[in-house]
Amino acid sequence: MTSSTPSVDGPMVILLVPLDERPVSSELPGLIAAIAGAQIRVPPPATLPSMRSAGDVDAIAGWLGENAAGAAGAVISLEGLGLGGLVPSRIGSEPLERVIDRWSVLRGLGDSTYASVLVPRAPDSDDAFEDPEYWAAWGRTLHRLSTELGSDSSADPDASSVPQEVRADWLSRRLRQHVLGLAALGLVSDGAIARLVVGVDDAVPCSLSALAQRDLANWSARLGVNDRVVVGPGADETGAVLTARLIADSACAAPRVVICCAEEGGLDRVAPYETGPVITTARNQLRAAGAVPVDDLVDEGPEGDAVLVVHAPQSAGDWAVAPPTTIDASAAHRTAELVRRELDAGRAVAVADVAQPNGADPALVRALLANETFHRLDGFAAWNTAGNTLGTVAATLIVTLVARSNGSYRSEAAARHRRLRLIEDAAYMSSARARFRSERGLRPDRHDQIRDPKAASARVAELLNEALVELGVPEFATVQPEHVTFPWSRSFEIRLDAAAGER
């Protein structure tokens, strides 16, 4: 690959092999890279996965080889390259050696190859939409079995209710993925991969995922590659995080970012779907994106170039499956006031809202809009898990800081990304989605299927505009039906056209 420093000949070009075809995997890195004037190139759509159908891994490998010479670097999902995507990595039957052989293309890409690999999840639901078919009958039981096997108890777990063939298949898949994680560390050790993020997908403490996380982190330390590897919660956001790291490394930049929270002890709370406290995930995501994390403010001011404000986990609830019945408006006010103080002090500020998973705290969004700080932020996110949110905010903030320092900052790209996060994370995830599902009589704890996408897009556009008015941003209430699509033909997530909410 060419030098990753931008040149007068054109913008930095980064190759991306996404985790899958969803916008969070295939488009979010480009939205963030655009803030620094960089461009993301993705393999042709026909080569990418389609939900449960694997992508054309041979074509993707060929595309990488053909385009490497003109790129500054590559950001590669090892599941996308070796197994054809996220869901195919969970349900496919490719033997271990074939997957590792597909990774051999990495050795010809140069020294700017940034990659991710995942520790697989064990979701607490009887829903096979993204998992092997047996998850519909045994999902919750396997989730409990994961926590039993991952606990410190020496007692044998009671797995008598799980058929042996189901247990064997599930554990064999986890073993394959763990060996692939170890193999990825080996590729870092021998220089084929410059930087690696090991994402832990939707996990809980004292589970097989938590054990795998610790083992991979220990091997990273044994190999002496901790300066090039980050192991921690996250999955879908890894492409965006590694894109930010590539841009930061290209500028030889390592911004210092202060992590702070308005709630006493808030950073020590463990968010749903995470294996440890929020502060640990925040540090890991900042490190992965290219920053040096600083844990708190000091009396004479922050020892950093920017501030990451974390809106801490709160009461039980999940905007996707069990929306919270109450919102702590006082906590939202305290966070918004902290943001205002830091901005008024002249500091760059980004906000990671992890109050509840799968959506934004409406009270916080309204407070940030009311005190006129939202549009001054250099990063905001509140989607899916705390790891997803913190990684997205870290990537956005780091790219912004680097772009400002080297003169490549694009304010219109930053405003566009902030607007899309507001529409999706707050207007859709915390409002329109629940109303849409209720109108259709859907169970929120089961994935649905959109059978009339045209009608669904029209109704969701209406609901989004209503939600934007309720939030206090009527100027963004211009979402049209053609701006909204459903990438996996379900209501859990949407794809927003970049023009959505334009004035």
Side-chain angles (χ1 to χ4, degrees):
M1 296 182 191
T2 61
S3 168
S4 55
T5 303
S7 72
V8 295
D9 296 326
M12 176 192 298
V13 173
I14 300 170
L15 304 183
L16 171 70
V17 175
L19 180 62
D20 54 44
E21 77 279 19
R22 291 172 301 157
V24 294
S25 304
S26 61
E27 297 176 15
L28 178 61
L31 287 169
I32 293 175
I35 296 171
Q39 293 182 355
I40 296 292
R41 291 182 184 167
V42 181
T47 68
L48 297 180
S50 177
M51 215 283 153
R52 295 178 77 89
S53 298
D56 187 339
V57 292
D58 292 332
I60 290 172
W63 175 85
L64 275 172
E66 292 167 3
N67 289 274
V75 172
I76 297 173
S77 161
L78 294 179
E79 282 78 17
L81 178 61
L83 291 146
L86 174 61
V87 176
S89 76
R90 297 171 180 165
I91 67 175
S93 57
E94 291 85 355
L96 177 69
E97 60 272 17
R98 184 177 302 169
V99 178
I100 293 176
D101 183 62
R102 289 168 177 166
W103 290 355
S104 62
V105 67
L106 299 174
R107 298 189 180 279
L109 296 183
D111 58 2
S112 294
T113 300
Y114 292 32
S116 65
V117 70
L118 300 181
V119 173
R121 67 180 196 165
D124 188 14
S125 65
D126 292 333
D127 188 336
F129 191 92
E130 301 179 44
D131 294 280
E133 294 293 345
Y134 52 72
W135 217 265
W138 302 104
R140 291 187 184 278
T141 305
L142 290 171
H143 174 81
R144 290 194 299 272
L145 182 56
S146 174
T147 60
E148 291 171 356
L149 291 171
S151 72
D152 294 330
S153 173
S154 59
D156 292 333
D158 179 12
S160 58
S161 62
V162 181
Q164 175 58 28
E165 62 272 19
V166 169
R167 176 184 169 122
D169 183 82
W170 171 61
L171 290 175
S172 294
R173 291 177 187 279
R174 294 198 67 92
L175 177 61
R176 180 186 66 173
Q177 195 67 18
H178 192 64
V179 175
L180 289 174
L182 293 169
L185 289 175
L187 290 172
V188 177
S189 181
D190 68 16
I193 293 175
R195 298 197 184 276
L196 177 71
V197 170
V198 180
V200 182
D201 191 8
D202 290 5
V204 296
C206 299
S207 63
L208 287 178
S209 294
L211 284 181
Q213 177 181 339
R214 288 196 294 272
D215 189 51
L216 291 166
N218 287 338
W219 273 106
S220 175
R222 293 177 189 124
L223 290 168
V225 295
N226 276 349
D227 59 331
R228 292 178 281 154
V229 175
V230 174
V231 183
D236 305 332
E237 84 297 339
T238 52
V241 169
L242 287 167
T243 294
R245 184 57 184 261
L246 182 52
I247 291 172
D249 286 351
S250 75
C252 299
R256 292 174 61 82
V257 177
V258 178
I259 306 168
C260 60
C261 178
E263 299 294 297
E264 184 176 356
L267 293 174
D268 296 323
R269 299 172 190 168
V270 179
Y273 312 113
E274 303 280 300
T275 56
V278 166
I279 183 62
T280 301
T281 302
R283 291 175 188 143
N284 282 341
Q285 293 288 28
L286 284 169
R287 284 183 53 230
V292 176
V294 181
D295 281 358
D296 206 350
L297 298 171
V298 294
D299 292 339
E300 62 270 21
E303 296 179 344
D305 303 302
V307 176
L308 170 59
V309 174
V310 178
H311 188 43
Q314 297 178 10
S315 59
D318 182 318
W319 289 106
V321 299
T325 56
T326 60
I327 296 294
D328 189 344
S330 61
H333 175 75
R334 288 190 291 272
T335 297
E337 280 301 297
L338 173 59
V339 170
R340 183 190 58 78
R341 289 195 303 271
E342 296 309 315
L343 284 169
D344 288 349
R347 294 158 189 147
V349 178
V351 173
D353 175 2
V354 297
Q356 281 92 19
N358 290 308
D361 179 350
L364 174 63
V365 174
R366 292 191 186 99
L368 293 172
L369 290 166
N371 70 9
E372 299 183 341
T373 58
F374 184 87
H375 299 294
R376 298 167 62 190
L377 295 174
D378 285 326
F380 175 85
W383 63 278
N384 283 30
T385 66
N388 296 149
T389 289
L390 285 160
T392 300
V393 173
T396 308
L397 178 59
I398 300 319
V399 168
T400 299
L401 294 172
V402 171
R404 284 208 181 107
S405 69
N406 66 15
S408 64
Y409 180 67
R410 302 291 187 270
S411 60
E412 69 283 359
R416 177 172 60 244
H417 185 233
R418 191 167 50 238
R419 166 171 47 85
L420 294 175
R421 294 262 61 85
L422 176 66
I423 297 172
E424 184 170 4
D425 299 8
Y428 185 69
M429 293 186 180
S430 302
S431 178
R433 176 171 57 192
R435 292 178 61 186
F436 179 66
R437 287 176 165 180
S438 177
E439 291 174 357
R440 301 179 71 212
L442 300 171
R443 288 181 56 176
D445 62 341
R446 291 288 187 277
H447 286 298
D448 59 322
Q449 187 170 8
I450 303 294
R451 300 187 184 280
D452 187 348
K454 185 175 181 179
S457 294
R459 182 54 182 150
V460 167
E462 292 175 347
L463 293 171
L464 283 173
N465 289 327
E466 292 174 12
L468 289 166
V469 171
E470 292 170 0
L471 283 171
V473 279
E475 67 273 20
F476 289 165
T478 61
V479 181
Q480 302 298 315
E482 60 269 23
H483 295 157
V484 181
T485 52
F486 304 90
W488 275 0
S489 298
R490 63 182 184 181
S491 62
F492 182 80
E493 70 268 283
I494 56 174
R495 179 189 181 276
L496 286 172
D497 186 270
E502 281 188 343
R503 303 186 191 191

